[in-house]
Amino acid sequence: MHPFFLTVIGAIFILSLVVILLWIYGRDKKYQNALLAVAIGGTAWYAMIFLLTGSGNIQHYPILFNKGLPLYYAIGPCFYLYLRGELNPSYRKFNKKHLLHFLIVIPALVSVMPYNFLDLSQQQLVVNRVAKDVHYAFSNSKYIVEPCHWFTFPLSALIYSFLQLRLTYTTAKQKRTKTIKWAYLFSSLLALIFLGMLALNIAIVHNANSAYFMLHRSPLILTLALTLLLLSLSFFLNPEMIFGFAVKFEKEDNNFPSIQVSTDNVASEKRKAKPVDEKLIEQVEYHVIKRQAFKQVGLTMSELASQMDVANHKLSDLFNNHYQSNFNTYINHLRIKYVKERLDSGDWKQYTLEAIALEAGFSSRNTFFVAFKKVMDKSPSTYLSGLKNG
């Protein structure tokens, strides 16, 4: 099998894995996860159809052909809105204005209708011709999308990639941090991919006789495939953006879970093997606890690292090795502790549970109830009933 095909297959597999992880491990980021899942799904679908078309195997899957164009146009806006939400928590909620970014999808929906209104036998004839002559996929046939889409789709996505780079630069400058490396890498890879798509599509349309060579042997297509593979791997360079792993805590006598480092022999050996940065611990606890940064809705480890001007990997090591905890679990622990203190002090007489939870930093009633029960082993209403009866 040609290296191009192997590379694309690898990228599709990893991108699909990322989408699965988003839904399994994503916490308190439903809208953000949906944006990223759509963008990754669209990218994977484009790669798959490109692979099937270039190899001629599309003739075996007529039902898949001419379905993804509207999704392709959503890739750029979704990646942009996702990154903006990661850099600024105030944009992590859905806003009706976001729909303006997706108006460009409408012409794409219109363009794919003629093919999809055909019966299966007629669709089979179209994909058979595409399999025999790949240039037909870029023709003016009414059952193939208009050639202009092969320019406007990657061009629109490329523009959004440049907007991401500008947004990253502006955010880093405003927060006076050195840079947000993962955001620069992420946006740069997207820009290279969409630029490569645009260049390849222009070359094919303007040189029909070389379409087969360009899709199989040109250096551009292999470079594009390798960049796509690198993009898929880049999602794991900043894993807390996508998922977190739950950690259970020991219970103290006062019926509130402790987040202190375990004092057993195994944990002691770990700390001896890898010294703890005491200064960083003080810095984190001052910022998160004393200044109550945990009350910020949607706070992520990347956001905390930016606020403190600390390298992301240092915070990751601190939570893994010192706190023996996942970042989200640590923050939720502090939020539940805050809620518990408010309830114990009698604030439940003046405020609702939801109001106190919102002030503590929870994004919704559901996430608060789940976190509370996980930490306290009882629901908020059961705990509150105990206070009232006591």
Side-chain angles (χ1 to χ4, degrees), residues 114-131:
Y115 175 84
N116 288 287
F117 282 151
L118 295 174
D119 59 40
L120 188 58
S121 61
Q122 292 174 311
Q123 290 181 359
Q124 186 66 60
L125 293 175
V126 174
V127 294
N128 286 345
R129 185 170 177 182
V130 170

Side-chain angles (χ1 to χ4, degrees), residues 2 4-5 50-51 53-56 129-139 150 199-222:
H2 194 277
F4 160 68
F5 296 124
F50 208 91
L51 184 66
T53 303
S55 64
R129 185 170 177 182
V130 170
K132 292 179 180 178
D133 179 14
V134 71
H135 182 255
Y136 181 65
F138 297 85
S139 69
W150 301 116
L200 182 65
N201 290 343
I202 290 176
I204 291 176
V205 170
H206 287 280
N207 193 355
N209 295 329
S210 301
Y212 182 85
F213 170 80
M214 292 178 187
L215 291 176
H216 291 77
R217 299 181 181 179
S218 70
L220 177 59
I221 192 66
L222 185 56

Side-chain angles (χ1 to χ4, degrees), residues 4 18-19 26 64 82 90 106 111 114 140 153 174 185 194 211 220 259 264 275 307 312-313 321 352 372:
F4 160 68
V18 172
V19 174
L64 299 181
Y82 165 76
S90 63
I106 297 176
S111 186
N140 290 313
F153 145 59
Q174 289 175 345
L185 174 64
F194 296 131
L220 177 59
I259 200 162
D264 59 29
Q307 293 174 4
N312 199 55
H313 68 87
N321 299 312
T352 63
F372 193 97

Side-chain angles (χ1 to χ4, degrees), residues 84-114:
R84 187 170 67 166
E86 287 300 310
L87 297 179
N88 189 338
S90 63
Y91 290 106
R92 289 180 185 168
K93 298 296 181 182
F94 171 73
N95 188 306
K96 290 182 180 179
K97 291 182 180 179
H98 294 176
L99 295 175
L100 295 175
H101 291 277
F102 299 97
L103 291 178
I104 197 171
V105 171
I106 297 176
L109 286 170
V110 175
S111 186
V112 300
M113 284 182 181

Side-chain angles (χ1 to χ4, degrees), residues 11-280:
I12 292 173
F13 173 79
I14 297 174
L15 290 173
S16 301
L17 180 61
V18 172
V19 174
I20 294 172
L21 291 175
L22 279 171
W23 294 113
I24 295 178
Y25 296 110
R27 297 173 182 274
D28 300 333
K29 293 169 56 179
K30 291 184 179 180
Y31 179 55
Q32 286 292 97
N33 288 347
L35 289 172
L36 187 57
V38 170
I40 294 175
T43 304
W45 186 272
Y46 180 88
M48 179 184 69
I49 297 301
F50 208 91
L51 184 66
L52 291 174
T53 303
S55 64
N57 287 318
I58 192 64
Q59 63 182 319
H60 304 302
Y61 308 98
I63 196 170
L64 299 181
F65 189 68
N66 254 10
K67 296 290 190 302
L69 186 63
L71 189 58
Y72 303 159
Y73 275 103
I75 294 174
C78 283
F79 273 137
Y80 172 76
L81 292 173
Y82 165 76
L83 182 64
R84 187 170 67 166
E86 287 300 310
L87 297 179
N88 189 338
S90 63
Y91 290 106
R92 289 180 185 168
K93 298 296 181 182
F94 171 73
N95 188 306
K96 290 182 180 179
K97 291 182 180 179
H98 294 176
L99 295 175
L100 295 175
H101 291 277
F102 299 97
L103 291 178
I104 197 171
V105 171
I106 297 176
L109 286 170
V110 175
S111 186
V112 300
M113 284 182 181
Y115 175 84
N116 288 287
F117 282 151
L118 295 174
D119 59 40
L120 188 58
S121 61
Q122 292 174 311
Q123 290 181 359
Q124 186 66 60
L125 293 175
V126 174
V127 294
N128 286 345
R129 185 170 177 182
V130 170
K132 292 179 180 178
D133 179 14
V134 71
H135 182 255
Y136 181 65
F138 297 85
S139 69
N140 290 313
S141 170
K142 68 177 182 178
Y143 300 121
I144 307 294
V145 299
E146 290 84 352
C148 66
H149 287 296
W150 301 116
F151 309 134
T152 54
F153 145 59
L155 180 60
S156 65
L158 182 61
I159 292 173
Y160 272 105
S161 298
F162 287 136
L163 290 176
Q164 287 180 208
L165 287 169
R166 180 183 176 185
L167 177 65
T168 302
Y169 172 77
T170 303
T171 303
K173 189 174 181 180
Q174 289 175 345
K175 295 182 179 180
R176 297 182 180 179
T177 58
K178 294 179 180 179
T179 185
I180 305 175
K181 293 182 180 179
W182 66 264
Y184 277 123
L185 174 64
F186 178 60
S187 302
S188 297
L189 288 173
L190 289 176
L192 286 174
I193 288 173
F194 296 131
L195 182 61
M197 287 181 180
L198 181 61
L200 182 65
N201 290 343
I202 290 176
I204 291 176
V205 170
H206 287 280
N207 193 355
N209 295 329
S210 301
Y212 182 85
F213 170 80
M214 292 178 187
L215 291 176
H216 291 77
R217 299 181 181 179
S218 70
L220 177 59
I221 192 66
L222 185 56
T223 302
L224 187 58
L226 289 173
T227 308
L228 181 64
L229 180 61
L230 185 57
L231 173 69
S232 64
L233 293 172
S234 72
F235 288 107
F236 294 97
L237 297 179
N238 197 49
E240 67 277 1
M241 291 167 49
I242 302 175
F243 54 87
F245 298 96
V247 177
K248 294 183 178 180
F249 297 102
E250 299 294 331
K251 296 294 180 73
E252 291 181 338
D253 293 337
N254 64 358
N255 199 36
F256 194 79
S258 171
I259 200 162
Q260 300 299 321
V261 183
S262 173
T263 56
D264 59 29
N265 293 332
V266 176
S268 297
E269 289 299 321
K270 288 183 178 179
R271 288 196 294 278
K272 289 179 181 179
K274 192 166 187 177
V276 175
D277 188 341
E278 298 292 343
K279 185 177 180 180
L280 182 58

